[in-house]
Amino acid sequence: MLIRRAEVEGRLTDVRVRVEQVAELGDLRPEPGEEVVEARGGALLPGLHDHHLHLLSLAAAASSVRCGPPEVRDLDGLARVLRAAEGPVRGIGYHESVAGILDRHALDRLVPDRPVQVQHRGGALWMLNTPALAEAGLTERFPDGRLWRADEELRGSQPPPDLAVVGRRLAAVGITGVTDATPRLSEDTVRLLTALPQRVRLLGVPTGARLPPGFEVGPWKILRPDHEPPDWEALRDEVARVHAEGRAVAIHAVTRESLVVTLGVLSEVGTIPGDRIEHAAIVGAEAIPLLAEINPVVVTQPGFVTEREPEYRRDIPADEHADLYRYASLLDAGLRVAPSSDAPFADVDPWRTIAAAARRELGQFERVSAQRALEGYLAPLSDPGGAPRRVTAGAPADLCLLSVPLREALTCPDSGFVAATWCRGRRA
């Protein structure tokens, strides 16, 4: 394939792709039988990488019912959407501002005659009615219908998700590689992900897992219950065990307390290259020096600050808004920071995340330039927060072509500018 007149790092050039690699750049002529793509001055970038999302949940979300703000804001609205859905109901995006934390009895009053399972927007809590508990065989284990971190238990009660649809959706916004942060993935479940054209790095598979070609093992995801006090000893023991295997860790930290405990444990146990903190959703200014001293990669989600702004303004004091999903201050402290979506819990579109990072209203001092946020999406899957990948001879042909020059795209980031995406040299 020959891509003609593409903007690459500020200059117009032709780019030839051969055998899944960028073969050469320059003033090139088409070869016999070669596909020619006219870029017409649009920017050609390495394909974007989302450094933290959940592929199975993203696939399942396509057939789920939205149960929280802004679509649903009160009990009457929740009743309407649940009753309007046909057959078994899988609800997502619920927030306690709608009608409190639900249990089986509350859901039975809304829909008593067919299975209903509703996920809290944070992803950790599932709330099931009586028919759903019975169908999943979980009535005795969870008599109140509240299941914490139970995706694995519920996975078997759902039809296999369509990952090919997810792959096309990711390609449509320019994504050619992802890090899946779903914990405790079985080898059978991983095989479902082979429907994706994207490169996939997995945090939720054990060391030594047999993976399909094109998949790689990342740091080990450590996910302690958000609804319980942080357990120092359990976290310390798990980090020490994983480090002893020579593997880095990716520690989930969405509360102020969990971050403090995480930093304390890493300070005691020590870090190894590749250690990550997932989310760092609330970082007090006093924690930044210790965070910089320990120096893990921070994988953040600027999109939440924009998507959940009304709830954050209502629930979080104004003087703490800058603590939410910090970005600029972490970079200033010398930390490596990688943006991501956490999809489906926020929008998977990287261009919306880039816009949120550059234009956030809550904690405006945490803004970074759109260029800087894009560079985070261009970092290798194996080195989030590292140097951005480049379109050069010998590089993998994971490419994103925009319909406009890069400066224009970054002035108003929008996935509508994505003209084509190639994964391993094939249009996705």
Side-chain angles (χ1 to χ4, degrees):
M1 176 179 64
L2 181 66
I3 304 173
R4 292 205 298 196
R5 303 297 289 171
E7 180 195 63
V8 177
E9 298 181 5
R11 65 186 182 91
L12 292 180
T13 187
D14 304 328
V15 179
R16 173 163 283 125
V17 172
R18 186 181 292 125
V19 195
E20 300 187 10
Q21 284 190 328
V22 175
E24 56 182 329
L25 291 81
D27 187 7
L28 308 175
R29 293 186 178 183
E31 297 178 346
E34 188 172 51
E35 177 190 3
V36 176
V37 176
E38 299 292 348
R40 297 183 176 87
L44 184 65
L45 307 171
L48 278 60
H49 286 167
D50 190 322
H51 298 286
H52 181 121
L53 49 60
H54 302 270
L55 292 166
L56 295 167
S57 295
L58 185 58
S63 59
S64 300
V65 176
R66 293 291 307 178
C67 293
E71 296 87 354
V72 175
R73 295 190 177 277
D74 56 28
L75 183 60
D76 288 342
L78 179 63
R80 281 195 299 273
V81 298
L82 294 181
R83 292 168 182 168
E86 298 181 359
V89 182
R90 184 184 191 274
I92 59 173
Y94 182 80
H95 187 260
E96 59 270 20
S97 62
V98 173
I101 298 297
L102 305 171
D103 61 15
R104 66 185 290 186
H105 306 296
L107 287 171
D108 285 347
R109 288 191 291 271
L110 298 177
V111 182
D113 57 344
R114 54 201 168 98
V116 174
Q117 55 187 56
V118 176
Q119 187 182 41
H120 189 275
R121 75 175 187 185
L125 173 64
W126 282 98
M127 297 156 282
L128 276 61
N129 70 351
T130 297
L133 285 169
E135 182 179 72
L138 298 173
T139 305
E140 292 187 5
R141 288 181 57 193
F142 303 97
D144 64 356
R146 296 173 179 170
L147 289 67
W148 291 91
R149 296 294 177 196
D151 292 66
E152 190 174 22
E153 288 87 342
L154 294 174
R155 204 168 282 145
S157 65
Q158 300 292 324
D162 189 344
L163 273 300
V165 171
V166 171
R168 291 192 292 271
R169 183 178 176 190
L170 294 171
V173 293
I175 294 175
T176 62
V178 297
T179 295
D180 184 275
T182 306
R184 301 187 304 278
L185 290 175
S186 68
E187 292 182 2
D188 287 343
T189 301
V190 171
R191 278 193 284 273
L192 294 173
L193 306 181
T194 58
L196 295 162
Q198 285 79 13
R199 299 180 190 273
V200 180
R201 197 170 196 232
L202 300 169
L203 306 185
V205 294
T207 303
R210 294 174 297 175
L211 299 179
F215 286 64
E216 62 179 76
V217 176
W220 174 246
K221 176 75 174 290
I222 298 180
L223 184 64
R224 294 291 169 184
D226 297 328
H227 62 293
E228 298 175 0
D231 188 330
W232 175 291
E233 292 186 358
L235 180 58
R236 180 194 60 198
D237 292 347
E238 187 167 10
V239 171
R241 175 184 61 78
V242 176
H243 279 181
E245 298 174 354
R247 186 174 179 182
V249 294
I251 304 176
H252 174 94
V254 298
T255 66
R256 198 179 300 274
E257 294 77 15
S258 62
L259 179 64
V260 169
V261 170
T262 295
L263 294 179
V265 166
L266 291 177
S267 181
E268 178 179 318
V269 175
T271 59
I272 65 174
D275 281 342
R276 305 166 35 142
I277 293 179
E278 308 301 307
H279 310 298
I282 303 178
V283 181
E286 71 284 350
I288 295 177
L290 180 57
L291 190 56
E293 180 182 335
I294 295 169
N295 198 32
V297 175
V298 175
V299 181
T300 187
Q301 293 83 36
F304 281 133
V305 182
T306 298
E307 291 188 27
R308 300 180 178 178
E309 182 178 339
E311 290 84 3
Y312 287 154
R313 287 191 183 278
R314 183 190 63 223
D315 299 335
I316 297 177
D319 60 356
E320 296 180 13
H321 288 168
D323 296 347
L324 291 165
Y325 296 96
R326 287 182 179 270
Y327 204 151
S329 61
L330 302 185
L331 291 175
D332 290 343
L335 285 150
R336 288 170 298 156
V337 183
S340 64
S341 68
D342 199 24
F345 307 110
D347 196 311
V348 75
D349 186 339
W351 302 95
R352 289 192 178 185
T353 302
I354 290 167
R359 301 174 182 174
R360 59 182 286 176
E361 291 297 324
L362 296 185
Q364 294 184 16
F365 292 114
E366 291 300 325
R367 291 176 177 175
V368 300
S369 69
Q371 174 70 41
R372 183 66 186 83
L374 172 63
E375 289 171 357
Y377 270 103
L378 298 181
L381 291 180
S382 59
D383 186 22
R389 293 147 39 246
R390 301 173 60 206
V391 178
T392 59
D398 298 330
L399 301 168
C400 170
L401 176 65
L402 305 183
S403 60
V404 297
L406 184 58
R407 177 177 292 185
E408 182 177 342
L410 293 180
T411 299
C412 185
D414 191 318
S415 58
F417 292 132
V418 176
T421 301
W422 293 269
C423 295
R424 299 180 177 88
R426 295 187 177 185
R427 193 184 290 253

